[in-house]
Amino acid sequence: MIKDMFGQTRLKVNLHLHTTESDGNKTAREAADIYRQAGYDVIAITDHWKYRESGITCGLRILSGAEYNIGGGDGSGGVFHFLALGCRHAPQVQKEDSAQTILDEINRRGGLAVLAHPAWSLNTPEQTRGLSGIGATEIYNTVSDAGQSSRPYSGDFVDCCACQGRIYPLIADDDTHYYDGSDETASCIMLSCAPDASDQEILDAIRRQAFYATQGPEIHIFRNGDQVTVRCSPVSRISFFSNAVWARDRCVRGENLTQNSCRLLPFETFIRAEATDSRGRRAWSNILRL
Ligand SMILES: [Zn+2]
Ligand SMILES: [Zn+2]
């Protein structure tokens, strides 16, 4: 738990992690211990097809969760991985179920359905256009840049979806497997939420985008009329992303930057921002609908 630059309490949260219950290399107790020592307040343990209830493990709060993956390994056929978070009861789903059936069941159980690593899965906006009930999507997935794959960043996917009017809360998480040490305690969300918030309150805070996603830097985005401003901890690059493929003043580079502003164009329908610090660690704002 930290106070951000505006004095707001933030919980440090990783919503995607695997253990020896599926294809992770550490037990839940070992994983929780590592995240607790790294200053996290909450993690979700999301083993494949195995729903874990909420609780406390090694002194760390666990948000209930699982990951339901369908479509095998061929991206041309439609690969979907959904996190089910905070369900009141375990979803009753099977590996033969369709993506929509899984989404419906997660929502029926009161959970948040997160589209995991769309870039890694080669998901297109067209593949997800007909799906309802996606509550959030990952913009960054650490393990997708660790070990044996290199598509961690889903910014192009979320921007193309936003061009179609579908704006999701943008989560960064580790998808920890403990493959090689590079997929743990790297990416998280910093959630504006009371420390004693219920599971439901945590889900609600995610749904209303009361967080920023980060690997270290702090980032906040504000709109005032036709001006949009980013405030952040010291970084070396601040960029804006919208449905404008090009516009002035959308990227600034330098040392110890803590603010950047841009003026909106009349046709812009959404905007978001990213910041990168001198060590290459990134932060992602949520999307402002204009
Ligand atoms: Zn996955
Ligand atoms: Zn996963």
Side-chain angles (χ1 to χ4, degrees):
M1 191 169 56
I2 66 151
K3 296 269 191 202
D4 68 19
M5 62 173 64
F6 301 106
Q8 187 93 47
T9 299
R10 300 269 174 178
L11 305 185
K12 188 173 184 179
V13 182
N14 174 35
L15 292 169
H16 192 166
L17 180 148
H18 299 270
T19 73
T20 48
E21 296 288 316
S22 62
D23 56 350
N25 285 333
K26 292 199 187 300
T27 66
R29 290 184 63 81
E30 291 169 335
D33 198 40
I34 288 167
Y35 275 83
R36 184 183 53 76
Q37 290 191 38
Y40 284 71
D41 300 291
V42 181
I43 62 171
I45 293 179
T46 53
D47 281 306
H48 296 281
W49 297 96
K50 187 160 182 136
Y51 203 82
R52 176 180 285 267
E53 299 296 338
S54 295
I56 306 284
T57 297
C58 275
L60 185 63
R61 180 172 176 181
I62 310 295
L63 178 67
S64 71
E67 181 173 19
Y68 302 118
N69 53 292
I70 56 171
D74 180 359
S76 66
V79 174
F80 295 103
H81 289 210
F82 295 115
L83 305 180
L85 300 175
C87 295
R88 287 188 287 272
H89 301 285
Q92 301 299 305
V93 288
Q94 299 174 351
K95 294 180 179 174
E96 299 74 30
D97 287 340
S98 69
Q100 189 59 62
T101 298
I102 293 170
L103 287 168
D104 288 346
E105 178 64 5
I106 295 168
N107 283 283
R108 192 172 76 85
R109 300 287 180 174
L112 179 76
V114 179
L115 178 65
H117 47 66
W120 182 89
S121 300
L122 293 177
N123 290 142
T124 65
E126 283 63 39
Q127 282 179 342
T128 55
R129 188 202 290 264
L131 296 175
S132 61
I134 296 174
T137 187
E138 291 178 353
I139 189 165
Y140 195 89
N141 175 286
T142 304
V143 79
S144 295
D145 196 29
Q148 298 165 24
S149 59
S150 306
R151 288 195 184 104
Y153 175 64
S154 296
D156 298 348
F157 171 85
V158 303
D159 290 342
C160 289
C161 288
C163 283
Q164 298 177 355
R166 284 178 288 129
I167 290 176
Y168 306 114
L170 303 181
I171 287 168
D173 56 38
D174 285 335
D175 196 357
T176 325
H177 288 70
Y178 299 101
Y179 284 148
D180 62 2
S182 64
D183 65 347
E184 62 193 67
T185 63
S187 306
C188 67
I189 62 169
M190 299 300 290
L191 190 64
S192 178
C193 202
D196 59 351
S198 66
D199 287 4
Q200 191 60 49
E201 288 168 334
I202 286 178
L203 298 193
D204 289 345
I206 296 169
R207 288 189 178 106
R208 66 172 188 271
Q209 306 185 1
F211 66 91
Y212 59 89
T214 187
Q215 298 174 318
E218 184 173 338
I219 188 169
H220 307 275
I221 189 168
F222 307 97
R223 179 189 183 188
N224 184 6
D226 66 351
Q227 182 159 304
V228 172
T229 299
V230 162
R231 298 272 308 275
C232 56
S233 55
V235 295
S236 54
R237 177 173 177 150
I238 303 171
S239 303
F240 292 100
F241 299 81
S242 78
N243 55 309
V245 295
W246 183 86
R248 288 189 180 282
D249 305 323
R250 296 306 170 93
C251 181
V252 60
R253 295 176 178 82
E255 290 182 7
N256 295 317
L257 305 170
T258 57
Q259 183 166 325
N260 189 25
S261 295
C262 70
R263 203 160 288 284
L264 294 168
L265 301 172
F267 64 84
E268 289 185 285
T269 56
F270 73 90
I271 193 163
R272 66 179 181 87
E274 297 181 6
T276 308
D277 72 10
S278 58
R279 294 166 55 189
R281 301 180 307 172
R282 297 162 76 181
W284 302 266
S285 80
N286 269 296
I287 298 175
L288 292 180
R289 191 189 292 270
L290 303 174

Coordinates of all heavy atoms in Angstrom, one line a residue, residues 90-126:
A90 N -17.3 -20.8 -7.8 CA -16.5 -21.2 -9.0 C -17.4 -21.4 -10.2 O -18.5 -22.0 -10.2 CB -15.9 -22.6 -8.7
P91 N -17.0 -20.8 -11.3 CA -17.8 -20.9 -12.6 C -17.8 -22.4 -13.0 O -16.8 -23.1 -12.8 CB -16.9 -20.1 -13.6 CG -16.2 -19.1 -12.8 CD -15.9 -19.8 -11.5
Q92 N -18.9 -22.8 -13.5 CA -19.1 -24.2 -14.0 C -18.8 -24.1 -15.5 O -19.8 -23.9 -16.3 CB -20.5 -24.7 -13.7 CG -20.8 -24.7 -12.2 CD -19.9 -25.6 -11.5 OE1 -19.7 -26.8 -11.8 NE2 -19.2 -25.0 -10.4
V93 N -17.6 -24.3 -15.9 CA -17.2 -24.2 -17.4 C -16.4 -25.5 -17.7 O -15.8 -26.1 -16.9 CB -16.4 -22.9 -17.7 CG1 -17.3 -21.7 -17.6 CG2 -15.3 -22.8 -16.7
Q94 N -16.4 -25.7 -19.0 CA -15.7 -26.9 -19.6 C -14.8 -26.4 -20.8 O -15.1 -25.4 -21.4 CB -16.7 -28.0 -20.0 CG -17.5 -28.5 -18.9 CD -18.6 -29.4 -19.3 OE1 -18.8 -29.6 -20.5 NE2 -19.3 -30.0 -18.3
K95 N -13.8 -27.2 -21.0 CA -12.9 -26.9 -22.1 C -13.5 -26.8 -23.5 O -13.0 -26.2 -24.4 CB -11.7 -27.8 -22.1 CG -10.9 -27.6 -20.8 CD -9.6 -28.5 -20.7 CE -8.9 -28.3 -19.4 NZ -7.8 -29.2 -19.2
E96 N -14.7 -27.5 -23.6 CA -15.4 -27.5 -24.9 C -16.3 -26.2 -25.1 O -16.9 -26.0 -26.1 CB -16.2 -28.7 -25.1 CG -15.5 -30.0 -25.0 CD -15.0 -30.4 -23.6 OE1 -15.7 -30.0 -22.6 OE2 -13.9 -31.1 -23.5
D97 N -16.4 -25.5 -24.0 CA -17.3 -24.3 -24.1 C -16.8 -23.2 -25.0 O -15.6 -23.1 -25.2 CB -17.5 -23.7 -22.6 CG -18.4 -24.6 -21.8 OD1 -19.1 -25.4 -22.3 OD2 -18.3 -24.4 -20.5
S98 N -17.7 -22.5 -25.5 CA -17.4 -21.3 -26.4 C -16.9 -20.2 -25.5 O -17.1 -20.1 -24.3 CB -18.6 -20.9 -27.2 OG -19.5 -20.3 -26.3
A99 N -16.2 -19.2 -26.2 CA -15.8 -18.0 -25.5 C -16.9 -17.3 -24.8 O -16.9 -16.9 -23.6 CB -15.0 -17.1 -26.4
Q100 N -18.1 -17.2 -25.5 CA -19.2 -16.5 -25.0 C -19.8 -17.2 -23.8 O -20.2 -16.6 -22.8 CB -20.3 -16.2 -26.0 CG -21.4 -15.3 -25.6 CD -20.8 -13.9 -25.2 OE1 -20.3 -13.2 -26.0 NE2 -21.0 -13.5 -23.9
T101 N -19.8 -18.5 -23.8 CA -20.4 -19.3 -22.7 C -19.5 -19.1 -21.5 O -20.0 -18.9 -20.3 CB -20.4 -20.8 -23.1 OG1 -21.3 -21.0 -24.2 CG2 -20.9 -21.7 -21.9
I102 N -18.2 -19.1 -21.6 CA -17.3 -18.9 -20.5 C -17.5 -17.5 -19.9 O -17.6 -17.3 -18.7 CB -15.8 -19.1 -20.9 CG1 -15.6 -20.6 -21.2 CG2 -14.9 -18.6 -19.8 CD1 -14.3 -20.9 -21.9
L103 N -17.6 -16.5 -20.8 CA -17.8 -15.1 -20.3 C -19.1 -15.0 -19.6 O -19.2 -14.3 -18.5 CB -17.8 -14.1 -21.5 CG -16.4 -13.9 -22.2 CD1 -16.6 -13.1 -23.5 CD2 -15.5 -13.0 -21.3
D104 N -20.1 -15.6 -20.1 CA -21.4 -15.5 -19.5 C -21.4 -16.1 -18.1 O -22.0 -15.6 -17.1 CB -22.5 -16.2 -20.3 CG -22.9 -15.5 -21.6 OD1 -22.5 -14.3 -21.7 OD2 -23.5 -16.0 -22.5
E105 N -20.7 -17.3 -18.0 CA -20.7 -18.0 -16.7 C -19.9 -17.2 -15.6 O -20.2 -17.1 -14.5 CB -20.1 -19.4 -16.9 CG -19.9 -20.2 -15.6 CD -21.2 -20.5 -14.9 OE1 -22.3 -20.2 -15.5 OE2 -21.2 -21.1 -13.8
I106 N -18.8 -16.6 -16.1 CA -18.0 -15.7 -15.1 C -18.8 -14.6 -14.6 O -18.9 -14.3 -13.4 CB -16.7 -15.2 -15.8 CG1 -15.7 -16.3 -16.2 CG2 -16.0 -14.2 -14.9 CD1 -14.6 -15.9 -17.1
N107 N -19.6 -13.9 -15.5 CA -20.4 -12.8 -15.1 C -21.6 -13.3 -14.3 O -22.0 -12.6 -13.3 CB -20.9 -12.0 -16.4 CG -19.7 -11.1 -16.9 OD1 -19.5 -10.1 -16.4 ND2 -19.1 -11.6 -18.0
R108 N -22.1 -14.4 -14.6 CA -23.3 -14.9 -13.8 C -22.9 -15.2 -12.4 O -23.7 -15.0 -11.5 CB -23.8 -16.2 -14.5 CG -25.1 -16.7 -13.9 CD -25.6 -17.9 -14.8 NE -24.9 -19.1 -14.5 CZ -25.2 -20.0 -13.5 NH1 -26.2 -19.7 -12.7 NH2 -24.5 -21.1 -13.3
R109 N -21.6 -15.5 -12.2 CA -21.1 -15.8 -10.8 C -20.6 -14.5 -10.2 O -19.9 -14.5 -9.1 CB -19.9 -16.8 -10.9 CG -20.3 -18.1 -11.5 CD -21.2 -18.9 -10.5 NE -21.5 -20.2 -11.1 CZ -22.2 -21.2 -10.4 NH1 -22.5 -21.0 -9.2 NH2 -22.5 -22.3 -11.0
G110 N -20.9 -13.4 -10.8 CA -20.5 -12.1 -10.2 C -19.0 -11.7 -10.4 O -18.5 -10.8 -9.7
G111 N -18.3 -12.4 -11.2 CA -16.9 -12.2 -11.4 C -16.6 -11.2 -12.5 O -17.4 -10.7 -13.2
L112 N -15.3 -10.8 -12.5 CA -14.8 -9.9 -13.5 C -14.1 -10.8 -14.6 O -13.2 -11.5 -14.2 CB -13.8 -8.9 -13.0 CG -13.2 -7.9 -13.9 CD1 -14.2 -6.8 -14.4 CD2 -11.9 -7.3 -13.3
A113 N -14.5 -10.7 -15.8 CA -13.8 -11.5 -16.9 C -12.8 -10.6 -17.6 O -13.1 -9.5 -18.1 CB -14.8 -12.0 -17.9
V114 N -11.5 -11.0 -17.5 CA -10.4 -10.3 -18.1 C -9.9 -11.0 -19.3 O -9.5 -12.2 -19.2 CB -9.3 -10.1 -17.1 CG1 -8.1 -9.3 -17.7 CG2 -9.8 -9.4 -15.8
L115 N -9.9 -10.3 -20.5 CA -9.2 -10.9 -21.6 C -7.7 -10.8 -21.4 O -7.1 -9.8 -21.4 CB -9.6 -10.2 -22.9 CG -9.0 -10.7 -24.2 CD1 -9.4 -12.1 -24.5 CD2 -9.3 -9.7 -25.4
A116 N -7.1 -12.0 -21.3 CA -5.6 -12.1 -21.0 C -4.8 -12.0 -22.3 O -5.2 -12.5 -23.3 CB -5.3 -13.3 -20.2
H117 N -3.7 -11.3 -22.2 CA -2.7 -11.2 -23.2 C -3.2 -11.3 -24.7 O -2.8 -12.2 -25.4 CB -1.6 -12.3 -23.0 CG -2.1 -13.7 -22.7 ND1 -2.8 -14.4 -23.6 CD2 -2.0 -14.4 -21.5 CE1 -3.1 -15.6 -23.0 NE2 -2.6 -15.6 -21.8
P118 N -4.1 -10.4 -25.1 CA -4.6 -10.5 -26.5 C -3.5 -10.5 -27.5 O -3.6 -11.1 -28.6 CB -5.5 -9.3 -26.6 CG -5.2 -8.4 -25.4 CD -4.7 -9.3 -24.3
A119 N -2.4 -9.7 -27.3 CA -1.4 -9.7 -28.3 C -0.7 -11.1 -28.4 O -0.5 -11.6 -29.6 CB -0.3 -8.7 -28.0
W120 N -0.4 -11.7 -27.3 CA 0.2 -13.0 -27.3 C -0.7 -14.0 -28.0 O -0.3 -14.9 -28.8 CB 0.5 -13.5 -25.9 CG 1.1 -14.8 -25.7 CD1 2.5 -15.0 -25.7 CD2 0.5 -16.0 -25.5 NE1 2.7 -16.4 -25.5 CE2 1.5 -17.0 -25.4 CE3 -0.8 -16.5 -25.5 CZ2 1.2 -18.4 -25.2 CZ3 -1.1 -17.8 -25.3 CH2 -0.1 -18.7 -25.1
S121 N -2.0 -13.9 -27.8 CA -3.0 -14.8 -28.4 C -3.3 -14.5 -29.8 O -4.1 -15.2 -30.4 CB -4.3 -14.8 -27.6 OG -4.1 -15.2 -26.2
L122 N -2.7 -13.4 -30.3 CA -3.0 -12.9 -31.7 C -4.5 -12.6 -31.8 O -5.1 -12.8 -32.9 CB -2.6 -13.9 -32.8 CG -1.1 -14.1 -32.9 CD1 -0.7 -15.1 -33.9 CD2 -0.4 -12.7 -33.2
N123 N -5.1 -12.1 -30.8 CA -6.5 -11.7 -30.8 C -6.7 -10.4 -31.7 O -5.8 -9.5 -31.6 CB -7.1 -11.4 -29.5 CG -7.3 -12.6 -28.6 OD1 -7.1 -12.6 -27.4 ND2 -7.7 -13.7 -29.2
T124 N -7.7 -10.4 -32.5 CA -8.0 -9.2 -33.3 C -9.2 -8.5 -32.8 O -10.1 -9.2 -32.1 CB -8.2 -9.5 -34.8 OG1 -9.4 -10.3 -34.8 CG2 -7.0 -10.3 -35.3
P125 N -9.4 -7.2 -33.0 CA -10.7 -6.6 -32.6 C -11.9 -7.2 -33.2 O -12.9 -7.3 -32.6 CB -10.5 -5.1 -33.2 CG -9.0 -4.9 -33.2 CD -8.4 -6.3 -33.6
E126 N -11.7 -7.8 -34.4 CA -12.8 -8.5 -35.1 C -13.2 -9.7 -34.3 O -14.4 -10.1 -34.2 CB -12.5 -8.8 -36.5 CG -12.6 -7.6 -37.5 CD -11.6 -6.5 -37.1 OE1 -10.4 -6.9 -36.7 OE2 -12.0 -5.4 -37.2

